[in-house]
mmCIF file of all heavy atoms in Angstrom:
data_model
loop_
_atom_site.group_PDB
_atom_site.id
_atom_site.type_symbol
_atom_site.label_atom_id
_atom_site.label_comp_id
_atom_site.label_asym_id
_atom_site.label_seq_id
_atom_site.Cartn_x
_atom_site.Cartn_y
_atom_site.Cartn_z
ATOM 1 N N VAL R 52 101.423 74.717 77.967
ATOM 2 C CA VAL R 52 101.968 76.010 78.158
ATOM 3 C C VAL R 52 101.758 76.478 79.596
ATOM 4 O O VAL R 52 102.615 76.990 80.290
ATOM 5 C CB VAL R 52 101.233 77.038 77.172
ATOM 6 C CG1 VAL R 52 101.602 78.477 77.521
ATOM 7 C CG2 VAL R 52 101.721 76.795 75.727
ATOM 8 N N GLU R 53 100.593 76.130 80.149
ATOM 9 C CA GLU R 53 100.171 76.542 81.559
ATOM 10 C C GLU R 53 101.113 75.778 82.535
ATOM 11 O O GLU R 53 101.640 76.409 83.443
ATOM 12 C CB GLU R 53 98.706 76.241 81.824
ATOM 13 C CG GLU R 53 98.310 76.454 83.306
ATOM 14 C CD GLU R 53 98.314 77.755 83.730
ATOM 15 O OE1 GLU R 53 98.099 78.783 82.952
ATOM 16 O OE2 GLU R 53 98.589 78.015 84.915
ATOM 17 N N GLU R 54 101.190 74.473 82.346
ATOM 18 C CA GLU R 54 101.899 73.698 83.402
ATOM 19 C C GLU R 54 103.457 73.878 83.196
ATOM 20 O O GLU R 54 104.224 74.018 84.249
ATOM 21 C CB GLU R 54 101.616 72.233 83.140
ATOM 22 C CG GLU R 54 100.075 71.886 83.638
ATOM 23 C CD GLU R 54 99.679 70.454 83.279
ATOM 24 O OE1 GLU R 54 100.534 69.660 82.986
ATOM 25 O OE2 GLU R 54 98.493 70.230 83.231
ATOM 26 N N ALA R 55 104.047 73.765 81.951
ATOM 27 C CA ALA R 55 105.422 73.858 81.746
ATOM 28 C C ALA R 55 106.017 75.227 81.833
ATOM 29 O O ALA R 55 107.112 75.484 82.368
ATOM 30 C CB ALA R 55 105.948 73.213 80.505
ATOM 31 N N TYR R 56 105.382 76.187 81.194
ATOM 32 C CA TYR R 56 105.916 77.512 81.150
ATOM 33 C C TYR R 56 105.414 78.413 82.371
ATOM 34 O O TYR R 56 106.108 79.028 83.042
ATOM 35 C CB TYR R 56 105.603 78.153 79.725
ATOM 36 C CG TYR R 56 106.218 79.641 79.623
ATOM 37 C CD1 TYR R 56 107.596 79.744 79.578
ATOM 38 C CD2 TYR R 56 105.466 80.727 79.671
ATOM 39 C CE1 TYR R 56 108.229 81.043 79.422
ATOM 40 C CE2 TYR R 56 105.979 82.070 79.517
ATOM 41 C CZ TYR R 56 107.355 82.056 79.491
ATOM 42 O OH TYR R 56 107.911 83.326 79.261
ATOM 43 N N ILE R 57 104.077 78.691 82.363
ATOM 44 C CA ILE R 57 103.643 79.577 83.332
ATOM 45 C C ILE R 57 103.809 79.101 84.838
ATOM 46 O O ILE R 57 104.458 79.823 85.517
ATOM 47 C CB ILE R 57 102.104 79.965 82.969
ATOM 48 C CG1 ILE R 57 101.892 80.539 81.748
ATOM 49 C CG2 ILE R 57 101.657 80.779 84.168
ATOM 50 C CD1 ILE R 57 100.509 80.722 81.284
ATOM 51 N N GLN R 58 103.383 77.892 85.106
ATOM 52 C CA GLN R 58 103.628 77.370 86.287
ATOM 53 C C GLN R 58 105.098 77.033 86.550
ATOM 54 O O GLN R 58 105.720 77.465 87.561
ATOM 55 C CB GLN R 58 102.757 76.215 86.670
ATOM 56 C CG GLN R 58 101.270 76.610 86.660
ATOM 57 C CD GLN R 58 100.924 77.447 87.770
ATOM 58 O OE1 GLN R 58 101.469 77.354 88.944
ATOM 59 N NE2 GLN R 58 99.964 78.324 87.505
ATOM 60 N N GLY R 59 105.591 76.170 85.643
ATOM 61 C CA GLY R 59 107.014 75.589 85.836
ATOM 62 C C GLY R 59 108.180 76.691 85.874
ATOM 63 O O GLY R 59 109.198 76.412 86.267
ATOM 64 N N VAL R 60 108.014 77.821 85.126
ATOM 65 C CA VAL R 60 109.045 78.844 85.079
ATOM 66 C C VAL R 60 108.669 79.984 85.993
ATOM 67 O O VAL R 60 109.493 80.411 86.720
ATOM 68 C CB VAL R 60 109.185 79.199 83.615
ATOM 69 C CG1 VAL R 60 110.162 80.439 83.428
ATOM 70 C CG2 VAL R 60 109.518 78.165 82.634
ATOM 71 N N HIS R 61 107.499 80.457 85.944
ATOM 72 C CA HIS R 61 107.279 81.752 86.623
ATOM 73 C C HIS R 61 106.579 81.706 87.983
ATOM 74 O O HIS R 61 106.958 82.338 88.879
ATOM 75 C CB HIS R 61 106.275 82.656 85.749
ATOM 76 C CG HIS R 61 106.963 83.066 84.435
ATOM 77 N ND1 HIS R 61 108.093 83.831 84.322
ATOM 78 C CD2 HIS R 61 106.753 82.637 83.257
ATOM 79 C CE1 HIS R 61 108.369 84.044 83.081
ATOM 80 N NE2 HIS R 61 107.680 83.193 82.338
ATOM 81 N N VAL R 62 105.463 80.803 88.113
ATOM 82 C CA VAL R 62 104.817 80.752 89.362
ATOM 83 C C VAL R 62 105.577 79.896 90.417
ATOM 84 O O VAL R 62 105.781 80.350 91.561
ATOM 85 C CB VAL R 62 103.344 80.201 89.116
ATOM 86 C CG1 VAL R 62 102.641 80.054 90.485
ATOM 87 C CG2 VAL R 62 102.599 81.105 88.187
ATOM 88 N N ASN R 63 105.875 78.686 90.061
ATOM 89 C CA ASN R 63 106.453 77.796 90.983
ATOM 90 C C ASN R 63 107.530 77.018 90.241
ATOM 91 O O ASN R 63 107.345 75.851 89.852
ATOM 92 C CB ASN R 63 105.437 76.746 91.495
ATOM 93 C CG ASN R 63 105.890 75.766 92.582
ATOM 94 O OD1 ASN R 63 106.965 76.241 93.278
ATOM 95 N ND2 ASN R 63 105.277 74.712 92.763
ATOM 96 N N PRO R 64 108.654 77.685 90.099
ATOM 97 C CA PRO R 64 109.763 77.022 89.243
ATOM 98 C C PRO R 64 110.023 75.575 89.601
ATOM 99 O O PRO R 64 110.192 75.185 90.734
ATOM 100 C CB PRO R 64 110.952 77.869 89.618
ATOM 101 C CG PRO R 64 110.489 79.138 90.036
ATOM 102 C CD PRO R 64 109.136 78.827 90.811
ATOM 103 N N SER R 65 109.991 74.723 88.549
ATOM 104 C CA SER R 65 110.005 73.325 88.715
ATOM 105 C C SER R 65 110.712 72.663 87.465
ATOM 106 O O SER R 65 110.180 72.783 86.289
ATOM 107 C CB SER R 65 108.699 72.715 88.742
ATOM 108 O OG SER R 65 108.649 71.317 88.593
ATOM 109 N N GLY R 66 111.867 72.184 87.604
ATOM 110 C CA GLY R 66 112.640 71.589 86.462
ATOM 111 C C GLY R 66 111.848 70.429 85.949
ATOM 112 O O GLY R 66 111.891 70.129 84.759
ATOM 113 N N GLU R 67 111.191 69.737 86.760
ATOM 114 C CA GLU R 67 110.402 68.526 86.407
ATOM 115 C C GLU R 67 109.196 68.923 85.328
ATOM 116 O O GLU R 67 109.108 68.401 84.332
ATOM 117 C CB GLU R 67 109.727 67.763 87.580
ATOM 118 C CG GLU R 67 108.945 66.584 87.171
ATOM 119 C CD GLU R 67 108.266 65.987 88.450
ATOM 120 O OE1 GLU R 67 108.789 66.153 89.578
ATOM 121 O OE2 GLU R 67 107.333 65.072 88.304
ATOM 122 N N ALA R 68 108.612 70.105 85.717
ATOM 123 C CA ALA R 68 107.444 70.462 84.983
ATOM 124 C C ALA R 68 108.052 71.127 83.616
ATOM 125 O O ALA R 68 107.505 70.877 82.466
ATOM 126 C CB ALA R 68 106.726 71.577 85.735
ATOM 127 N N MET R 69 109.222 71.798 83.686
ATOM 128 C CA MET R 69 109.816 72.224 82.528
ATOM 129 C C MET R 69 110.194 71.179 81.518
ATOM 130 O O MET R 69 110.066 71.231 80.329
ATOM 131 C CB MET R 69 110.966 73.195 82.825
ATOM 132 C CG MET R 69 110.516 74.485 83.606
ATOM 133 S SD MET R 69 111.869 75.416 84.091
ATOM 134 C CE MET R 69 112.504 76.099 82.516
ATOM 135 N N ARG R 70 110.750 70.043 82.091
ATOM 136 C CA ARG R 70 111.225 69.040 81.330
ATOM 137 C C ARG R 70 110.088 68.275 80.576
ATOM 138 O O ARG R 70 110.161 67.775 79.431
ATOM 139 C CB ARG R 70 111.936 67.944 82.090
ATOM 140 C CG ARG R 70 113.447 68.456 82.308
ATOM 141 C CD ARG R 70 114.278 67.334 83.173
ATOM 142 N NE ARG R 70 115.571 67.873 83.406
ATOM 143 C CZ ARG R 70 115.828 68.572 84.529
ATOM 144 N NH1 ARG R 70 114.930 68.838 85.462
ATOM 145 N NH2 ARG R 70 117.143 69.040 84.709
ATOM 146 N N LYS R 71 108.856 68.309 81.213
ATOM 147 C CA LYS R 71 107.718 67.680 80.540
ATOM 148 C C LYS R 71 107.295 68.410 79.420
ATOM 149 O O LYS R 71 106.636 67.910 78.485
ATOM 150 C CB LYS R 71 106.574 67.517 81.580
ATOM 151 C CG LYS R 71 106.904 66.423 82.590
ATOM 152 C CD LYS R 71 105.811 66.296 83.633
ATOM 153 C CE LYS R 71 105.895 65.295 84.697
ATOM 154 N NZ LYS R 71 104.816 65.192 85.708
ATOM 155 N N GLY R 72 107.330 69.773 79.476
ATOM 156 C CA GLY R 72 106.735 70.699 78.422
ATOM 157 C C GLY R 72 107.748 71.174 77.373
ATOM 158 O O GLY R 72 107.273 71.595 76.310
ATOM 159 N N PHE R 73 109.042 71.122 77.610
ATOM 160 C CA PHE R 73 110.016 71.727 76.653
ATOM 161 C C PHE R 73 110.765 70.561 76.041
ATOM 162 O O PHE R 73 111.177 69.646 76.826
ATOM 163 C CB PHE R 73 110.947 72.595 77.373
ATOM 164 C CG PHE R 73 110.336 73.879 77.718
ATOM 165 C CD1 PHE R 73 109.621 74.086 78.848
ATOM 166 C CD2 PHE R 73 110.436 75.023 76.797
ATOM 167 C CE1 PHE R 73 109.141 75.329 79.180
ATOM 168 C CE2 PHE R 73 109.840 76.235 77.078
ATOM 169 C CZ PHE R 73 109.112 76.424 78.259
ATOM 170 N N HIS R 74 110.961 70.451 74.807
ATOM 171 C CA HIS R 74 111.719 69.455 74.062
ATOM 172 C C HIS R 74 113.173 69.435 74.513
ATOM 173 O O HIS R 74 113.656 70.417 74.948
ATOM 174 C CB HIS R 74 111.598 69.733 72.555
ATOM 175 C CG HIS R 74 112.100 68.589 71.814
ATOM 176 N ND1 HIS R 74 113.441 68.311 71.452
ATOM 177 C CD2 HIS R 74 111.348 67.667 71.132
ATOM 178 C CE1 HIS R 74 113.490 67.267 70.730
ATOM 179 N NE2 HIS R 74 112.309 66.863 70.489
ATOM 180 N N ALA R 75 113.633 68.229 74.558
ATOM 181 C CA ALA R 75 114.997 67.931 75.049
ATOM 182 C C ALA R 75 115.971 68.722 74.238
ATOM 183 O O ALA R 75 117.135 69.266 74.787
ATOM 184 C CB ALA R 75 115.459 66.517 75.002
ATOM 185 N N ASP R 76 115.738 69.065 72.946
ATOM 186 C CA ASP R 76 116.648 69.875 72.094
ATOM 187 C C ASP R 76 116.458 71.278 72.206
ATOM 188 O O ASP R 76 116.935 72.044 71.471
ATOM 189 C CB ASP R 76 116.569 69.335 70.611
ATOM 190 C CG ASP R 76 117.089 67.942 70.631
ATOM 191 O OD1 ASP R 76 117.811 67.495 71.242
ATOM 192 O OD2 ASP R 76 116.743 67.345 69.570
ATOM 193 N N PHE R 77 115.460 71.814 73.087
ATOM 194 C CA PHE R 77 115.175 73.263 73.266
ATOM 195 C C PHE R 77 116.396 74.018 73.335
ATOM 196 O O PHE R 77 117.335 73.705 74.137
ATOM 197 C CB PHE R 77 114.236 73.384 74.366
ATOM 198 C CG PHE R 77 114.135 74.868 74.754
ATOM 199 C CD1 PHE R 77 113.047 75.586 74.216
ATOM 200 C CD2 PHE R 77 114.876 75.455 75.698
ATOM 201 C CE1 PHE R 77 112.869 76.969 74.517
ATOM 202 C CE2 PHE R 77 114.556 76.756 76.024
ATOM 203 C CZ PHE R 77 113.656 77.538 75.488
ATOM 204 N N ILE R 78 116.531 75.170 72.647
ATOM 205 C CA ILE R 78 117.630 76.071 72.875
ATOM 206 C C ILE R 78 117.138 77.529 72.791
ATOM 207 O O ILE R 78 116.255 77.861 71.988
ATOM 208 C CB ILE R 78 118.706 75.934 71.680
ATOM 209 C CG1 ILE R 78 119.373 74.651 71.791
ATOM 210 C CG2 ILE R 78 119.727 77.069 71.754
ATOM 211 C CD1 ILE R 78 120.286 74.357 70.611
ATOM 212 N N MET R 79 117.419 78.258 73.876
ATOM 213 C CA MET R 79 117.149 79.632 73.930
ATOM 214 C C MET R 79 118.247 80.590 73.623
ATOM 215 O O MET R 79 119.516 80.246 73.995
ATOM 216 C CB MET R 79 116.590 79.990 75.315
ATOM 217 C CG MET R 79 116.209 81.335 75.540
ATOM 218 S SD MET R 79 115.398 81.747 77.175
ATOM 219 C CE MET R 79 116.102 80.661 78.319
ATOM 220 N N PHE R 80 118.160 81.565 72.949
ATOM 221 C CA PHE R 80 119.191 82.522 72.548
ATOM 222 C C PHE R 80 119.046 83.683 73.508
ATOM 223 O O PHE R 80 117.898 84.329 73.622
ATOM 224 C CB PHE R 80 119.188 82.948 71.153
ATOM 225 C CG PHE R 80 119.466 81.801 70.197
ATOM 226 C CD1 PHE R 80 118.350 81.139 69.644
ATOM 227 C CD2 PHE R 80 120.617 81.672 69.694
ATOM 228 C CE1 PHE R 80 118.624 79.963 68.774
ATOM 229 C CE2 PHE R 80 120.972 80.472 68.865
ATOM 230 C CZ PHE R 80 119.982 79.735 68.369
ATOM 231 N N VAL R 81 120.187 83.937 74.264
ATOM 232 C CA VAL R 81 120.051 84.976 75.091
ATOM 233 C C VAL R 81 120.997 86.088 74.756
ATOM 234 O O VAL R 81 122.305 85.782 74.534
ATOM 235 C CB VAL R 81 120.598 84.490 76.624
ATOM 236 C CG1 VAL R 81 120.508 85.726 77.597
ATOM 237 C CG2 VAL R 81 119.612 83.415 77.108
ATOM 238 N N GLN R 82 120.523 87.357 74.630
ATOM 239 C CA GLN R 82 121.428 88.535 74.343
ATOM 240 C C GLN R 82 121.831 89.342 75.623
ATOM 241 O O GLN R 82 121.146 89.534 76.447
ATOM 242 C CB GLN R 82 120.604 89.465 73.344
ATOM 243 C CG GLN R 82 121.516 90.597 72.966
ATOM 244 C CD GLN R 82 120.695 91.517 72.065
ATOM 245 O OE1 GLN R 82 119.589 91.297 71.679
ATOM 246 N NE2 GLN R 82 121.408 92.567 71.446
ATOM 247 N N ASP R 83 123.176 89.497 75.531
ATOM 248 C CA ASP R 83 123.711 90.224 76.776
ATOM 249 C C ASP R 83 124.723 91.368 75.974
ATOM 250 O O ASP R 83 125.743 90.933 75.563
ATOM 251 C CB ASP R 83 124.544 89.363 77.643
ATOM 252 C CG ASP R 83 125.042 90.140 78.714
ATOM 253 O OD1 ASP R 83 124.669 91.331 79.050
ATOM 254 O OD2 ASP R 83 125.938 89.726 79.435
ATOM 255 N N GLY R 84 123.995 92.490 75.850
ATOM 256 C CA GLY R 84 124.848 93.614 75.068
ATOM 257 C C GLY R 84 124.932 93.204 73.582
ATOM 258 O O GLY R 84 123.964 92.802 72.931
ATOM 259 N N ASP R 85 126.208 93.131 73.146
ATOM 260 C CA ASP R 85 126.367 92.596 71.733
ATOM 261 C C ASP R 85 126.632 91.151 71.621
ATOM 262 O O ASP R 85 126.723 90.644 70.507
ATOM 263 C CB ASP R 85 127.667 93.359 71.139
ATOM 264 C CG ASP R 85 127.384 94.865 71.041
ATOM 265 O OD1 ASP R 85 126.278 95.260 70.957
ATOM 266 O OD2 ASP R 85 128.473 95.557 70.885
ATOM 267 N N LYS R 86 126.628 90.426 72.723
ATOM 268 C CA LYS R 86 126.890 89.107 72.669
ATOM 269 C C LYS R 86 125.588 88.204 72.767
ATOM 270 O O LYS R 86 124.676 88.551 73.516
ATOM 271 C CB LYS R 86 127.792 88.709 73.917
ATOM 272 C CG LYS R 86 128.229 87.171 73.990
ATOM 273 C CD LYS R 86 129.094 87.016 75.293
ATOM 274 C CE LYS R 86 129.348 85.589 75.411
ATOM 275 N NZ LYS R 86 130.115 85.395 76.742
ATOM 276 N N VAL R 87 125.432 87.227 71.858
ATOM 277 C CA VAL R 87 124.361 86.358 72.014
ATOM 278 C C VAL R 87 124.777 84.875 72.244
ATOM 279 O O VAL R 87 125.676 84.387 71.586
ATOM 280 C CB VAL R 87 123.592 86.250 70.657
ATOM 281 C CG1 VAL R 87 122.412 85.156 70.612
ATOM 282 C CG2 VAL R 87 123.066 87.629 70.265
ATOM 283 N N THR R 88 124.228 84.302 73.205
ATOM 284 C CA THR R 88 124.628 82.906 73.722
ATOM 285 C C THR R 88 123.526 81.859 73.544
ATOM 286 O O THR R 88 122.420 82.399 73.791
ATOM 287 C CB THR R 88 125.286 82.819 75.032
ATOM 288 O OG1 THR R 88 124.376 83.435 76.001
ATOM 289 C CG2 THR R 88 126.549 83.667 75.160
ATOM 290 N N LYS R 89 123.841 80.631 73.321
ATOM 291 C CA LYS R 89 122.770 79.644 73.425
ATOM 292 C C LYS R 89 122.730 79.033 74.772
ATOM 293 O O LYS R 89 123.668 78.705 75.353
ATOM 294 C CB LYS R 89 123.260 78.389 72.394
ATOM 295 C CG LYS R 89 123.236 78.910 70.908
ATOM 296 C CD LYS R 89 123.509 77.723 70.068
ATOM 297 C CE LYS R 89 123.675 77.975 68.617
ATOM 298 N NZ LYS R 89 123.869 76.837 67.782
ATOM 299 N N VAL R 90 121.484 78.838 75.178
ATOM 300 C CA VAL R 90 121.293 78.193 76.522
ATOM 301 C C VAL R 90 120.381 76.997 76.250
ATOM 302 O O VAL R 90 119.283 77.176 75.687
ATOM 303 C CB VAL R 90 120.515 79.115 77.509
ATOM 304 C CG1 VAL R 90 120.170 78.495 78.865
ATOM 305 C CG2 VAL R 90 121.406 80.370 77.697
ATOM 306 N N THR R 91 120.843 75.821 76.669
ATOM 307 C CA THR R 91 120.060 74.656 76.445
ATOM 308 C C THR R 91 119.021 74.593 77.557
ATOM 309 O O THR R 91 118.885 75.333 78.406
ATOM 310 C CB THR R 91 120.958 73.350 76.723
ATOM 311 O OG1 THR R 91 121.327 73.233 78.011
ATOM 312 C CG2 THR R 91 122.056 73.294 75.754
ATOM 313 N N ARG R 92 118.067 73.651 77.219
ATOM 314 C CA ARG R 92 116.770 73.460 78.209
ATOM 315 C C ARG R 92 117.362 73.258 79.556
ATOM 316 O O ARG R 92 117.024 73.940 80.631
ATOM 317 C CB ARG R 92 115.945 72.302 77.772
ATOM 318 C CG ARG R 92 114.823 72.076 78.750
ATOM 319 C CD ARG R 92 114.117 70.833 78.493
ATOM 320 N NE ARG R 92 115.070 69.686 78.850
ATOM 321 C CZ ARG R 92 114.703 68.444 78.686
ATOM 322 N NH1 ARG R 92 113.487 68.022 78.386
ATOM 323 N NH2 ARG R 92 115.553 67.472 79.086
ATOM 324 N N ASP R 93 118.354 72.288 79.753
ATOM 325 C CA ASP R 93 118.830 71.976 81.102
ATOM 326 C C ASP R 93 119.591 73.114 81.742
ATOM 327 O O ASP R 93 119.424 73.337 82.991
ATOM 328 C CB ASP R 93 119.637 70.668 81.114
ATOM 329 C CG ASP R 93 118.798 69.410 80.791
ATOM 330 O OD1 ASP R 93 117.504 69.527 81.121
ATOM 331 O OD2 ASP R 93 119.233 68.380 80.224
ATOM 332 N N GLU R 94 120.255 73.818 80.966
ATOM 333 C CA GLU R 94 121.079 75.045 81.506
ATOM 334 C C GLU R 94 120.007 76.027 81.938
ATOM 335 O O GLU R 94 120.194 76.687 83.113
ATOM 336 C CB GLU R 94 121.914 75.687 80.386
ATOM 337 C CG GLU R 94 123.235 74.755 80.092
ATOM 338 C CD GLU R 94 123.789 75.286 78.796
ATOM 339 O OE1 GLU R 94 123.330 75.932 78.090
ATOM 340 O OE2 GLU R 94 125.093 74.907 78.704
ATOM 341 N N TRP R 95 118.886 76.297 81.217
ATOM 342 C CA TRP R 95 117.910 77.164 81.567
ATOM 343 C C TRP R 95 117.181 76.705 82.882
ATOM 344 O O TRP R 95 117.006 77.588 83.761
ATOM 345 C CB TRP R 95 116.879 77.368 80.447
ATOM 346 C CG TRP R 95 115.818 78.470 80.543
ATOM 347 C CD1 TRP R 95 115.962 79.532 81.228
ATOM 348 C CD2 TRP R 95 114.460 78.260 80.224
ATOM 349 N NE1 TRP R 95 114.784 80.295 81.148
ATOM 350 C CE2 TRP R 95 113.822 79.473 80.609
ATOM 351 C CE3 TRP R 95 113.729 77.351 79.559
ATOM 352 C CZ2 TRP R 95 112.441 79.753 80.264
ATOM 353 C CZ3 TRP R 95 112.466 77.571 79.297
ATOM 354 C CH2 TRP R 95 111.845 78.794 79.612
ATOM 355 N N ILE R 96 116.918 75.491 82.925
ATOM 356 C CA ILE R 96 116.308 74.951 84.226
ATOM 357 C C ILE R 96 117.172 75.155 85.250
ATOM 358 O O ILE R 96 116.651 75.619 86.448
ATOM 359 C CB ILE R 96 116.087 73.507 84.026
ATOM 360 C CG1 ILE R 96 114.787 73.325 83.047
ATOM 361 C CG2 ILE R 96 115.703 72.805 85.322
ATOM 362 C CD1 ILE R 96 114.589 71.889 82.602
ATOM 363 N N THR R 97 118.504 74.954 85.193
ATOM 364 C CA THR R 97 119.550 75.209 86.300
ATOM 365 C C THR R 97 119.472 76.675 86.799
ATOM 366 O O THR R 97 119.345 77.046 87.926
ATOM 367 C CB THR R 97 120.936 74.826 85.818
ATOM 368 O OG1 THR R 97 120.913 73.460 85.558
ATOM 369 C CG2 THR R 97 121.892 75.046 86.957
ATOM 370 N N ARG R 98 119.329 77.650 85.775
ATOM 371 C CA ARG R 98 119.221 78.961 86.072
ATOM 372 C C ARG R 98 117.965 79.304 86.783
ATOM 373 O O ARG R 98 117.906 80.123 87.761
ATOM 374 C CB ARG R 98 119.306 79.844 84.799
ATOM 375 C CG ARG R 98 120.686 79.861 84.119
ATOM 376 C CD ARG R 98 120.636 80.706 82.908
ATOM 377 N NE ARG R 98 121.888 80.648 82.188
ATOM 378 C CZ ARG R 98 122.191 81.500 81.261
ATOM 379 N NH1 ARG R 98 121.342 82.389 80.692
ATOM 380 N NH2 ARG R 98 123.389 81.304 80.631
#
């Protein structure tokens, strides 16, 4: 959690750290108004 999420996402964004800690099939659901979209791990890393 510390390396992949806290450090890899928030402190020092790192796709490499995120890939080590998040499963390849990870999907995040993002709400934008009434619309909900799926974001894959690699799409999230790109963002």
Side-chain angles (χ1 to χ4, degrees):
V52 172
E53 173 68 31
E54 293 171 16
Y56 182 68
I57 295 172
Q58 294 294 323
V60 175
H61 297 287
V62 177
N63 185 24
S65 166
E67 180 181 345
M69 292 174 70
R70 282 184 183 88
K71 287 180 182 178
F73 288 88
H74 192 276
D76 294 337
F77 169 88
I78 294 176
M79 178 172 35
F80 293 90
V81 179
Q82 182 176 1
D83 183 14
D85 292 338
K86 184 180 174 186
V87 176
T88 57
K89 292 180 181 181
V90 177
T91 66
R92 179 194 67 179
D93 290 334
E94 290 169 337
W95 185 36
I96 289 170
T97 300
R98 290 181 183 190

